[in-house]
Amino acid sequence: MMIGELARHSGLSVDTLRYYEKIGLVPPPLRDAGGRRVYDAAALRWLGFLERLKATGLGMRERIRYAELRVRPGVASVRERREMLEQHRDKVAADLRRLTDTLALLDDKVALYRRIESGEVADPVAPMAEAAIGGGAARRRKEVA
């Protein structure tokens, strides 16, 4: 497929694909007789993998490093790629736990606010808010007098 078709299928712009090639994130593709880039399905799968890594927060430097290792043969390269992915997986898992805890907190708050709105429970903050507003006004009146 030509670069325009790869751009459509990957969701990336032609300029981004050329940039990725320039920085080594995407290996240089074959060229046809007219010098135009020709990509295969493997390039599309690789771009999909890179975009998923990006979505998990893996930085550009790390993605470039991974791409460099990917073209280097041998067990050492495989081991380093595995270690990179394991370390990043641990970070993603920790992020997921934090987000899960945050989601549970938000769900609890939303449920509480719905119960307050329905009149099922009283707003626990209302007395404090009224006291703060009322107390501040009383203080201001004393200061003026």
Side-chain angles (χ1 to χ4, degrees), residues 67-140:
E68 290 168 352
L69 290 169
R70 181 175 173 254
V71 296
R72 194 180 333 143
V75 175
S77 168
V78 170
R79 181 178 25 260
E80 196 169 342
R81 283 182 282 159
R82 177 189 49 78
E83 288 171 354
M84 281 182 73
L85 291 178
E86 284 176 342
Q87 289 172 3
H88 189 62
R89 186 203 179 283
D90 291 345
K91 180 198 168 295
V92 169
D95 291 346
L96 186 56
R97 284 189 296 275
R98 276 191 301 279
L99 285 171
T100 299
D101 292 346
T102 301
L103 182 60
L105 173 68
L106 292 171
D107 287 344
D108 289 347
K109 283 293 188 185
V110 167
L112 172 63
Y113 294 154
R114 286 186 174 152
R115 291 174 61 208
I116 292 168
E117 287 175 331
S118 73
E120 184 181 337
V121 297
D123 184 351
V125 179
M128 291 182 284
E130 290 171 11
I133 293 170
R139 262 189 260 111
R140 282 192 297 279

Side-chain angles (χ1 to χ4, degrees), residues 13-67:
S13 71
V14 168
D15 289 337
T16 297
L17 293 171
R18 287 184 181 131
Y19 173 70
Y20 281 5
E21 182 183 333
K22 179 180 176 181
I23 64 172
L25 200 54
V26 173
L30 297 174
R31 304 263 180 167
D32 68 8
R36 294 177 300 252
R37 293 166 171 87
V38 179
Y39 297 91
D40 59 11
L44 187 58
R45 287 190 304 274
W46 172 242
L47 288 168
F49 178 68
L50 288 174
E51 287 302 300
R52 285 190 293 277
L53 287 178
K54 179 181 176 183
T56 65
L58 189 66
M60 182 62 87
R61 280 194 191 116
E62 291 83 9
R63 284 180 280 147
I64 292 171
R65 176 70 181 139
Y66 189 91

